[in-house]
Structure formats: structure tokens, C-alpha cells
Amino acid sequence: MERNRDRGKLKWTSLMLPEHLERLRDWQREDEYIERPELTDWELQTMQETLEVAWRRRVETSIKTWHDGEVRFHQGEIEALDLRTMTIRLRDPFGTERIHVEDVIDVQLSKETGGV
């Protein structure tokens, strides 16, 4: 009786062809894909003002970005707003990262500093 243990997904994986596994992965990626939200002029203006306030005050900022069907969250202090390359340089405890302005879909100041 001990030899007949259920191995869960492991027993089915060996029966699948590589093409099947690839199709399942593609299907999962399609299922998890998020459409880019359409932003109004009002929302864009509000984000611009919030970015400027966060940069001038040097406060903790939360930035939500969309890239290739995926939403990512970034948090840190804005070091610079580079108008030439249209990027935001954000410093967090792990280092500095550059965020493209066209990827930004939401900006908020941290709760400790209050709103705009």
C-alpha cells in the first residue's frame, strides 16, 4: 500500500509533451495580462503635481507603473526628474532605479507626509 502514493502534479508533468507545457505557460501569461489603464488629463496633471511635490520635499513616494501587461510598485525618494530622457530616478534602500515617465500610472506620497 505504501508504494502507491499520490505524487500530485508530478505524475502528470511527465506525461505532457514540451509543446503542451509551452502552450500552458503561454495561456497562463495571457490570463495574467493586464490592460494598460487609460489616464485622463486630470489624472495626468495630478500625477505631475504630486511628482513635483515629492521631488521638492524629498519625501517617500509610491509609484505604480505598467509595463508589458504587468503592474509594478516602486517606493522610495525621488532623486531627480530628468526631462531630457523622460525618466524618474528613484532611490530606495536597495539602490537607485530609473523609471520611464510613460510607464507611470499612479503616484502617491507616503502616508506619513500627507497628501498634496
Side-chain angles (χ1 to χ4, degrees), residues 26-89:
D26 290 343
W27 182 47
Q28 184 177 9
R29 272 193 295 272
E30 288 173 15
D31 199 34
E32 293 173 354
Y33 184 85
I34 299 171
E35 291 290 329
R36 180 182 176 84
E38 292 294 323
L39 301 174
T40 64
D41 290 340
W42 176 261
E43 291 169 324
L44 292 171
Q45 180 68 30
T46 303
M47 284 191 322
Q48 180 181 351
E49 291 171 3
T50 305
L51 279 171
E52 289 178 18
V53 168
W55 175 61
R56 291 181 196 278
R57 291 186 187 171
R58 301 280 185 202
V59 295
E60 190 81 12
T61 308
S62 298
I63 299 175
K64 187 171 23 171
T65 60
W66 180 93
H67 188 73
D68 288 336
E70 194 175 23
V71 174
R72 296 182 183 149
F73 296 90
H74 311 270
Q75 189 164 350
E77 181 181 310
I78 297 175
E79 282 186 342
L81 300 172
D82 191 346
L83 298 177
R84 187 176 52 80
T85 60
M86 297 301 288
T87 57
I88 302 166
R89 202 165 59 217

Side-chain angles (χ1 to χ4, degrees), residues 95-113:
T96 302
E97 65 179 312
R98 290 184 186 276
I99 301 170
H100 293 282
V101 173
E102 64 265 8
D103 291 344
V104 176
I105 57 173
D106 189 30
V107 178
Q108 294 186 357
L109 300 177
S110 70
K111 294 180 182 180
E112 300 160 0
T113 59

Side-chain angles (χ1 to χ4, degrees), residues 13-28:
T13 308
S14 63
L15 297 174
M16 291 187 181
L17 296 172
E19 295 84 16
H20 294 148
L21 293 174
E22 183 179 336
R23 258 323 258 155
L24 283 172
R25 286 188 200 106
D26 290 343
W27 182 47
Q28 184 177 9

